[in-house]
Amino acid sequence: MSLLLQYVANGLAAGSLYALVALGVVLLYRSSRVLNFAHGDLATLGVFVAFTALARGWPYPVALGAGLVGTALVSAAFYRLLIKPVRQATALSLVITTLGFALLLSGLMVWIWGTDTKVFPFPLSEVRVYRLGGVVVSELSAGSLAVGLLLVAALSLVVQKTRLGLAMRAVAQNPVAAQLLGVPAGRVLAATWAVAGGLGAAAGMLLAPAVLLDPFMMLDPFLKGFAAAVLGGMDSLPGAVLGGVVLGVAESVFAGYVSVKYKATLAFVVIVAVLLAKPEGLLGRPFHRRV
Amino acid sequence: MHRVLGLCLVVLLALPFATTAQERGVTAEEVVVGSSMPLSGPAAYWGAVGRAMEAYARYLNDQGGVHGRRLRVVLRDDGYLPPRAAANVRELVERVGVFAIVGLIGTANAFAVRDYIVRNEVVWITPTADASMWYGFRDKKYLFVTYPSYVEEAKILVDYAAKQLGVRTVAVFYQNDLYGQKGLLGAKQGAVRSRVRIVAQVPYEVTQADVSSEAVKLRESRAEAVLLYATPRHGALIVREMAKVGYTPKLLSSFTLGDPIMFALAGEAWNGVISTAFFPLPGMGDSKVDEALAVLTRVDPALRTNPYNALAGWAFMEPFVEGLRRAGRDLTKERFVQAMETIRNWDGQVIRGVTFGPDRRQGIHRVYLTRAEGGRYTKLTDWISYPTGF
Amino acid sequence: MVELRTSYAQDLRLVSGWTGWAGLVFLLAGLVLLPLVAPRYVVYVATLAAVHSLVAVGLNLLVGYTGQISLGHAGFFAVGAYTHGLVLTRLGWGFWPALLAAAVTSAAAGFLVGLPALRLSGPYLAIATLAFGLATHQVLVNWEALSGGRSGLFLPEVRLAGASLKDERVLYWLVVAVTCLLVLAAVRLLRSYVGRAFVAVRDSDVAAELSGVNLTRYKTLAFALSALYTGVAGALMGHVVGFLEPQLFTLFESVYFFSMVVVGGLASVSGSILGAVLLTLLPQLLSGMGEALNVLYGAAVILVLRFEPGGLAARWLRVQRYWRSWPL
């Protein structure tokens, strides 16, 4: 029994990170109808910025903050310069633009920081563990879960209770109508992209101490985050969280009891199954196209 | 539309054509060697081998070169992809005109270029691929390999664990590609020979970031020892995860994890790991190797972050340079081959105990074991030989 | 001088006027004679470019002309390659039957992937095809009995009419011949009612359906055809490299194919070829640049989309029009 709980605990820790990534993906999809394939690389960029800041001796809060802010700015700039100006943007060209940006970013990161694996210092330790019954949870995993919950709570607070959140929801629903009512859609969308970037960077910073930092560390978690977003529903923020947690736990239990080899395949099978059976995901609303 | 396509043709033909010299790659002033490496992309960490080759060549040239000829190393980037490696090798041979291809990283890449190199009788020095790929392969006249066999080293590690550590059960954590699979094969063969049981075989993918389930699986196997065939990153990850879940078996690893970066990545969890090595490591009291490392980092300071692969690059080039020396000023492929075949139990500055012969192309057939302690690798055993296969 | 067409037959004709024919003859002669004048590594790169062109044209059929998205084309590439390889080695069939098997299997795979595509569009389709590509890679890696796993699947030496495919020149001629035939078929297809149906689906599938275009049939046909082209290219790729390994069929390949089509120009066959040739040559020419290559790639894709969404083909068209109407 404790073995099962251990797998579930591992899954929750991984799932909280998938949830953070998924939140960023869903946030952008809801507002701009863009699938941002550069999300993972943006997150990694933020971690590298924080890494450099830490190496220069900056204190933790400042360095991590710099990483978050850096990613937010780059993300917003990307939106402003490359997404917004393209008038007749089709879904296809947007996807490709983000793919190109992802390639550009990963090339840049290797160029500047090199490909050797680095240790990312972090206030929470990966090695110090708490034992609850037979289950081992590292300080970092517990911290990731806590931070993840905090960020989700903060985000839902912003989206539901603040004026910015109201504006974001308005722009997501109908950009033209929102603009007619005086909402500065461009600025709101840039802010949305910045927030999404920040969320990604946060996920990256929680991941890096555990998996060691290198330019490609977010590749796998990013795809899993995507799967989680699909599972939960591409236009539902709570769905992203649910999807992340469910995927994390399912993956961990599957690897433990069924097959370690096919652990990675599970995420993709999930995507395919969800898209075939219920494309809008667990908590999403069915997608209706206006003709 | 035809104009567009015609344009394509013109572009293609614009690629400059081949130049031929007396002996390809040899002029009065220089000898040209080429290599295809991952200089970009996820495997770019290994590209340090190529940069070290360049640095070594520069060092040699500063000392006057070999028989009055400068050594020029031409590197091409293949991003660890076989089609690009194949294109690079063809370009190096036909356009650049190299005397030899030295190193070439990746077993899959080696397979992709093998036929072409053999057909064109190109001298090929030490592709970094498992040595057993050459067993039974004909047409090895121009091939000279000084690289260990993953299979044999795994057998040696398992044997040591059984005899010296009293281990009866072993689990294998391996990368799911040719490198890791060869290690697993060696472990299985060694298990039979040394009478231990392989109780778990846990693979992982290079793109994986999370190995917590794998660590739990290993713990559940209750193996007394775990054999690691992984990249430095994943080696460090699994060792940390295992420590986290409270599993502390004896740890054995392939020589690829004999990289001092492991101490930084894995921290204290790396102490006590037993690895193999095929050349003396810096800091073990061998002044020649220490000097070689100092030279490399002086010529190319960027190599400071990757000393292990840098020394490997030197180790690969050394026998080739010795062959050039023995062949004399009048350098042709045939004379080079004859010269290499005279090398018997030769010690270079980094590589040791190289032997070639008319029927022997496997230059080294021994490794020794090291133990990680206090942030350094210390010598655990003397050289252990294994049978040669080609 | 604008070309005026006075009959439907004239509109359908692929080659018109003596400049058209001269250009075609020059092109064909150049293609045939290349291996005889160029060094073998140029021939090798040209063969690689031809294989990539075939994929790009196939992908363009789906993406540029029918307006669907596919981020998993490496999956079809793999299906064709491994079918061909397995049929050659395990069943011992000859080259042409094996190639046919690869074509049929890929088309079937395309059809199957196309079925869910009927219900999905836009980003959902992108994700579904992405998942297909990644899942195929996973299966190849893990199902060793089928694919030879990471040890690879080696292709035997094939002899056609006495000439061995291990000779770069023979392989080049074969690949270029197959590519030319398939590209010709694609061009003819696109000028027929099928092509018009594809474009109708792209521009507005609802309106197309109202006008009598059977969406099910044409969407799945687009997927199947696209997969067929890509699968045949995959089979040929096996001979170019000499063996098959899952590493050749990753997400990176899918993105790479995509970039070729986008940079060359969506909905333009010659654009796809141009894009494929360019993006095959670039890594070879810029080999010394290391990581800067990826940066360049990414920047190229972004810039093309930002400033010339129609790709290089559109830019070329603009250049042509400028000169045609010069000095106005």
Side-chain angles (χ1 to χ4, degrees), chain A:
Chain A
M1 186 57 194
S2 75
L3 186 61
L4 175 63
L5 284 177
Q6 177 70 62
Y7 285 129
V8 170
N10 288 348
L12 280 174
S16 62
L17 289 172
Y18 297 158
L20 275 179
V21 174
L23 270 178
V25 170
V26 168
L27 201 62
L28 286 178
Y29 182 71
R30 254 167 62 110
S31 58
S32 325
R33 289 272 172 264
V34 174
L35 276 183
N36 185 10
F37 280 94
H39 194 68
D41 290 291
L42 277 168
T44 316
L45 182 69
V47 182
F48 269 112
V49 168
F51 176 75
T52 308
L54 287 170
R56 296 261 175 98
W58 294 13
Y60 273 118
V62 181
L64 296 180
L68 290 173
V69 168
T71 308
L73 286 175
V74 173
S75 195
F78 175 61
Y79 164 73
R80 194 66 192 71
L81 295 171
L82 292 170
I83 303 282
K84 185 164 177 249
V86 185
R87 292 263 138 212
Q88 323 97 314
T90 58
L92 188 64
S93 62
L94 287 173
V95 162
I96 305 170
T97 308
T98 60
L99 279 172
F101 190 50
L103 210 58
L104 183 84
L105 279 178
S106 73
L108 221 67
M109 284 190 288
V110 174
W111 207 0
I112 301 178
W113 282 285
T115 48
D116 48 310
T117 316
K118 299 174 170 55
V119 180
F120 185 66
F122 201 70
L124 296 177
S125 165
E126 156 73 352
V127 192
R128 205 171 316 145
V129 295
Y130 303 116
R131 285 174 208 280
L132 315 155
V135 179
V136 176
V137 176
S138 76
E139 197 180 66
L140 182 67
S141 303
S144 306
L145 204 56
V147 171
L149 286 171
L150 214 76
L151 285 173
V152 168
L155 186 70
S156 61
L157 211 76
V158 166
V159 169
Q160 300 288 45
K161 302 281 184 214
T162 66
R163 280 180 50 139
L164 174 64
L166 189 63
M168 282 163 72
R169 277 184 288 147
V171 171
Q173 228 177 28
N174 192 330
V176 179
Q179 278 182 306
L180 284 173
L181 290 170
V183 175
R187 269 182 277 167
V188 169
L189 281 173
T192 315
W193 277 73
V195 170
L199 282 172
M205 287 184 209
L206 289 169
L207 194 66
V211 305
L212 300 172
L213 175 62
D214 78 19
F216 303 97
M217 77 169 183
M218 283 295 277
L219 198 67
D220 206 51
F222 167 66
L223 288 172
K224 305 274 176 64
F226 229 81
V230 170
L231 176 62
M234 287 292 282
D235 61 350
S236 158
L237 291 170
V241 177
L242 182 66
V245 171
V246 167
L247 185 66
V249 173
E251 214 185 38
S252 182
V253 172
F254 181 82
Y257 289 110
V258 182
S259 160
V260 169
K261 247 179 156 194
Y262 284 97
K263 175 171 140 179
T265 325
L266 184 69
F268 312 127
V269 170
V270 160
I271 298 182
V272 171
V274 167
L275 286 174
L276 284 179
K278 194 171 190 268
E280 60 273 9
L282 291 172
L283 295 182
R285 271 160 316 192
F287 180 59
H288 293 298
R289 237 174 64 206
R290 296 262 164 74
V291 179

Side-chain angles (χ1 to χ4, degrees), chain B residues 15 40 77 86 94-95 176, chain C residues 40-41 44 150 285 287 291:
Chain B
L15 287 170
S40 68
D77 177 22
E94 292 172 28
R95 186 171 78 86
N176 194 10
Chain C
R40 260 173 307 148
Y41 95 94
Y44 180 83
R150 295 287 186 157
L285 292 173
S287 187
E291 204 55 44

Side-chain angles (χ1 to χ4, degrees), chain C residues 10-152:
Chain C
Q10 205 175 35
D11 198 31
L12 276 183
R13 256 210 301 254
L14 284 174
V15 189
S16 54
W18 70 270
T19 49
W21 280 107
L24 183 66
V25 168
F26 170 74
L27 176 68
L28 287 177
L31 282 175
V32 168
L33 294 175
L34 182 79
L36 301 174
V37 295
R40 260 173 307 148
Y41 95 94
V42 171
V43 175
Y44 180 83
V45 174
T47 315
L48 208 58
V51 170
H52 288 156
S53 308
L54 197 53
V55 177
V57 168
L59 186 56
N60 211 347
L61 274 176
L62 183 67
V63 171
Y65 286 96
T66 319
Q68 308 297 298
I69 303 185
S70 171
L71 293 177
H73 250 58
F76 298 126
F77 201 50
V79 167
Y82 274 93
T83 308
H84 183 77
L86 287 169
V87 165
L88 274 180
T89 52
R90 303 273 175 87
L91 295 181
W93 288 9
F95 177 81
W96 294 108
L99 194 66
L100 191 65
V104 167
T105 323
S106 320
F111 176 76
L112 287 173
V113 172
L115 284 177
L118 296 172
R119 294 177 36 162
L120 305 167
S121 62
Y124 291 101
L125 185 59
I127 301 171
T129 51
L130 178 71
F132 164 70
L134 292 168
T136 314
H137 175 78
Q138 283 296 308
V139 167
L140 288 175
V141 167
N142 288 315
W143 197 353
E144 268 131 39
L146 183 71
S147 68
R150 295 287 186 157
S151 316

Side-chain angles (χ1 to χ4, degrees), chain C residues 158-220:
Chain C
V158 171
R159 301 195 79 88
L160 293 175
S164 165
L165 283 186
K166 294 255 185 226
D167 181 345
E168 281 98 350
R169 297 181 190 178
V170 174
L171 185 61
Y172 167 86
W173 279 317
L174 173 72
V175 169
V176 167
V178 170
T179 306
C180 283
L181 283 172
L182 284 176
V183 166
L184 181 68
V187 170
R188 291 217 70 116
L189 187 81
L190 289 166
R191 285 181 189 232
S192 71
Y193 70 93
V194 175
R196 284 197 289 277
F198 284 164
V199 172
V201 170
R202 176 190 75 195
D203 289 340
S204 169
D205 51 353
V206 175
E209 186 146 40
L210 288 173
S211 310
V213 175
N214 185 332
L215 280 186
T216 309
R217 184 193 302 174
Y218 286 102
K219 275 192 183 177
T220 50

Side-chain angles (χ1 to χ4, degrees), chain B residues 37 48-54 56 102 279 296 307-319 350:
Chain B
M37 304 251 162
V49 172
R51 289 208 311 276
M53 283 164 48
E54 276 180 326
Y56 178 55
V102 179
F279 55 82
L296 284 175
Y308 189 66
N309 288 313
L311 282 174
W314 182 304
F316 297 155
M317 278 286 272
E318 265 199 305
V350 174

